[in-house]
Amino acid sequence: MTTNRIPTAQPARRRSARRFNSAYLFIAPSLVLIAVFIAEPIVQSGWMSLHDWMVGESSHRFVGFANYTRLFHDSRFWNALRVTVVYTLVVSVGQVVLGLAIASRLRRTTWYSTLLRTAYFFPFIASLVVVGIIWKFLLDPQVGLVDAWLAAVGVSPPAWLQSTALALPTVMAVGIWKNVGFTMIVLLASMQQVPRDLYEAAALDGAGAWRQFRNVTLPALRPALLFTTVIATVNGLQLFDLVFSMTSGGPIFHTESVVMYLYQKGFVEFQMGYASAIAWVLFVIILGISAVQLRVLRYRDVD
Amino acid sequence: MSTETVTSLRATGARPPRRARGTGGRATAVRAAGAATRAGAALSWVVIGVGGLAMLVPFLWMLGVAFRTSPDLYADPARLWPVHWTLHGVRAVVDQLPFGQLILNTFVFAGGATLLLLLFDSMTAFALSRLRFRGQNAVFVLILATLMVPFQVTVVPVFLTLFHLGWLNSYQGLIIPRATSALGIFLLRQAFLSLPRELDDASRIDGAGNLTLYWRIILPNAKPALASLFIIQFAALWNDFLWPLVVTNDVHMQTLPAALTLFSSQSGVDHAALMAGAAISLAPLAIAFIALQRYFVQGVANSGIK
């Protein structure tokens, strides 16, 4: 592939190519790191997923696709996948829709909208771990503020994180709370790039607020909407920190995500082959979903 | 979809009725509609204001609990603030965790990896945007392709590599694998491409080589992009959880997020100590955010616009 491209370069290239090109020194550190810590591990991870690979054992038995068939019949994996997909769907849609609503409300710059933007963005800079810990104790039945305030207005609070029915929805709500500010900021930045005269022209043509939003704002926001949706989806599928710190996957696996299960198999039970198979299934799902999203939202048309 | 249509309608809905009012005929109907829109607009401001408070109250509560005694908290959990302020939470977290060491580790990890990443990514971005070399396209495609690889796919083999190198529980093990990122290269390449070519020509005429061009011309002219990347990368690593959790298991080498999570899952945890720990681990980013809000927002927004 590289050799095919050489003739298209300018003739002068050939002469200077003979002596050493210092460009290679500039790309060397990054390329070495990418080769050692990303490219090679991908291949190795695929190779490991075909083995019964326990840490500490001297030889690793080749098992073909046995890890994958075992995964296919593993109900704990299917549960983790269901949790992850439900979380991803709800959180990415919630985050983008609410982020769009908030951004369009806070579009004009006034002192109070600036203040509100800061407030909505603030949880985004905190770590998922800190957010998870704070919410775990905010929802605590004994010391939590949420239950205490609900009790004060006469509502008997449910057991948020201890209930099998409510634990996942509660984690999803916290996921949206944490990330909605990110969507808002990206969409606001994109909204501010829409030329004002587009709105003026639309208004002259008699377009009301809704038609202006549909026909001017939304099309202009399409790349940003695509970006935030893809990021939210990929982040959702990699769900780990939040459930680890809020519920540790409980109650009885009702919030266990795919990456939590991977961590459990790989770094607690040290079944590296099986963990690699989980990782590859996750990889294929992420690639597939991103490809579909890029297609549906037709990135190329806009770009 | 329904929520955002309602809000955005109301967001801009206040203006058209005002224009229509003078036209006479439908004035009454329009005035009634205008009043309804105004009521709706007021309501949406209430909703968005309450939402904004809901973003901050958990952090205020965290601060309150950090400076509150246990009996005080159990007696009246509905209070946001302590009755009696106490430093016992801060003292407890420093006693029960090697807290100074944890802060140092997190700084060394996030700061070291971010600085190296800025250096390596900017070098690569410079070569990709300002120089020409054999295989340039292939290198760029390879880097873009790694953008699609989730970290979880590589974590098991990378763990084994670090194990064989003896780099587990070490700064180099934490930092080196994080010292480059495809996203960083991509964003800096975009920033460098937007700098005018005349800069290169002028410095070449002055006899500058690639190194001078990179260090004296391109980097100083791309300071805003570098600053934005520094901030978002530092914040991401400061908050990172899975990576430090995998690479370290010795509490003296851990970073704040991993140590706090393990601390929070111990039974009979001291709430004041835990919230003090959370507050201290959040403080550097919160202060940086308030001081450098523009760069934070630009860094995040730019990664979206490109």
Side-chain angles (χ1 to χ4, degrees), chain B residues 74-234:
Chain B
Y74 279 93
D76 187 6
R79 270 183 71 95
L80 196 56
W81 288 109
V83 185
H84 304 291
W85 293 75
T86 162
L87 279 175
H88 114 98
V90 179
R91 257 183 246 126
V93 76
V94 174
D95 280 350
Q96 291 168 34
L97 288 174
F99 212 72
Q101 182 71 42
L102 292 175
I103 294 175
L104 177 74
N105 292 345
T106 318
F107 256 111
V108 171
F109 164 56
T114 306
L115 286 178
L116 274 182
L117 178 138
L118 279 189
L119 177 68
F120 293 162
D121 283 7
S122 65
M123 285 163 62
T124 308
F126 169 73
L128 287 172
S129 61
R130 307 311 259 212
L131 306 177
R132 296 176 136 271
F133 58 93
R134 237 177 214 258
Q136 192 159 18
N137 287 315
V139 166
F140 187 52
V141 169
L142 172 84
I143 289 168
L144 281 188
T146 63
L147 265 178
M148 301 301 292
V149 182
F151 157 67
Q152 290 81 6
V153 179
T154 56
V155 69
V156 169
V158 169
F159 170 81
L160 289 178
T161 306
L162 296 182
F163 172 73
H164 291 305
L165 287 171
W167 280 13
L168 294 177
N169 285 314
S170 75
Y171 284 138
Q172 66 269 34
L174 279 168
I175 292 173
I176 304 291
R178 284 285 165 280
T180 194
S181 93
L183 185 68
I185 295 173
F186 183 68
L187 292 176
L188 289 179
R189 179 180 165 272
Q190 300 289 101
F192 293 170
L193 281 175
S194 70
L195 298 176
R197 282 270 159 196
E198 287 75 29
L199 286 175
D200 305 33
D201 300 338
S203 70
R204 296 273 188 223
I205 289 168
D206 290 344
N210 288 343
L211 194 58
T212 315
L213 177 63
Y214 161 73
W215 192 255
R216 308 291 291 270
I217 311 292
I218 299 296
L219 282 193
N221 276 293
K223 267 185 196 152
L226 290 167
S228 292
L229 182 61
F230 180 88
I231 285 171
I232 56 172
Q233 193 63 33
F234 184 88

Side-chain angles (χ1 to χ4, degrees), chain A:
Chain A
M1 184 175 160
T2 43
T3 33
N4 288 343
R5 292 189 184 275
I6 298 304
T8 61
Q10 290 144 9
R13 215 67 302 277
R14 281 165 183 277
R15 229 176 306 123
S16 62
R18 221 169 288 145
R19 63 191 175 86
F20 184 72
N21 187 340
S22 74
Y24 294 113
L25 290 179
F26 281 95
I27 62 169
S30 285
L31 278 200
V32 169
L33 290 176
I34 287 175
V36 175
F37 293 112
I38 300 178
E40 193 273 340
I42 296 175
V43 179
Q44 198 190 334
S45 152
W47 180 241
M48 287 172 76
S49 76
L50 304 177
H51 288 75
D52 189 359
W53 195 301
M54 289 287 290
V55 165
E57 285 176 0
S58 53
S59 67
H60 309 290
R61 194 164 55 90
F62 183 82
V63 293
F65 286 93
N67 282 327
Y68 292 94
T69 43
R70 189 179 140 204
L71 201 55
F72 191 78
H73 297 289
D74 183 346
S75 61
R76 190 169 163 192
F77 170 74
W78 284 107
N79 171 69
L81 187 60
R82 189 189 56 82
V83 166
T84 308
V85 168
V86 169
Y87 176 92
T88 304
L89 270 178
V90 173
V91 171
S92 53
V93 169
Q95 190 186 322
V96 170
V97 168
L98 285 176
L100 183 60
I102 296 165
S104 29
R105 201 71 188 93
L106 299 182
R107 191 174 58 179
R108 293 215 194 91
T109 304
T110 55
W111 66 267
Y112 47 89
S113 69
T114 311
L115 211 61
L116 281 167
R117 282 178 203 168
T118 309
Y120 277 99
F121 191 65
F122 192 77
F124 182 69
I125 64 158
S127 68
L128 279 163
V129 161
V130 163
V131 162
I133 290 174
I134 294 177
W135 276 100
K136 179 176 162 186
F137 289 99
L138 265 176
L139 297 168
D140 187 275
Q142 288 184 313
V143 299
L145 190 67
V146 174
D147 287 11
W149 281 7
L150 283 179
V153 294
V155 180
S156 77
W160 305 101
L161 296 173
Q162 291 75 33
S163 130
T164 50
L166 275 182
L168 182 59
T170 307
V171 174
M172 295 192 295
V174 173
I176 295 175
W177 175 87
K178 161 85 165 78
N179 283 330
V180 73
F182 165 76
T183 316
M184 176 202 71
I185 285 290
V186 173
L187 294 180
L188 269 174
S190 182
M191 280 177 184
Q192 280 157 2
Q193 298 207 325
V194 182
R196 285 201 75 84
D197 28 322
L198 278 184
Y199 289 105
E200 281 156 21
L204 279 180
D205 289 344
W210 168 237
R211 299 238 356 237
Q212 288 185 22
F213 179 77
R214 274 239 30 200
N215 298 332
V216 181
T217 311
L218 267 190
L221 288 187
R222 207 152 138 191
L225 284 171
L226 172 86
F227 171 78
T228 50
T229 310
V230 172
I231 293 279
T233 309
V234 172
N235 283 341
L237 293 170
Q238 299 182 6
L239 172 66
F240 179 73
D241 307 18
L242 196 57
V243 281
F244 198 102
S245 56
M246 275 185 87
T247 66
S248 312
I252 38 175
F253 307 124
H254 276 78
T255 56
E256 185 174 71
S257 68
V258 172
V259 178
M260 273 203 80
Y261 189 42
L262 186 160
Y263 179 79
Q264 171 72 26
K265 284 291 163 196
F267 297 101
V268 180
E269 299 173 20
F270 291 111
Q271 299 183 27
M272 297 294 193
Y274 199 55
S276 300
I278 300 175
W280 265 84
V281 171
L282 181 71
F283 186 21
V284 169
I285 293 173
I286 290 179
L287 275 188
I289 292 182
S290 315
V292 169
Q293 284 177 334
L294 289 174
R295 239 208 136 71
V296 169
L297 289 151
R298 267 169 304 186
Y299 196 40
R300 271 149 215 236
D301 286 6
V302 187
D303 235 22

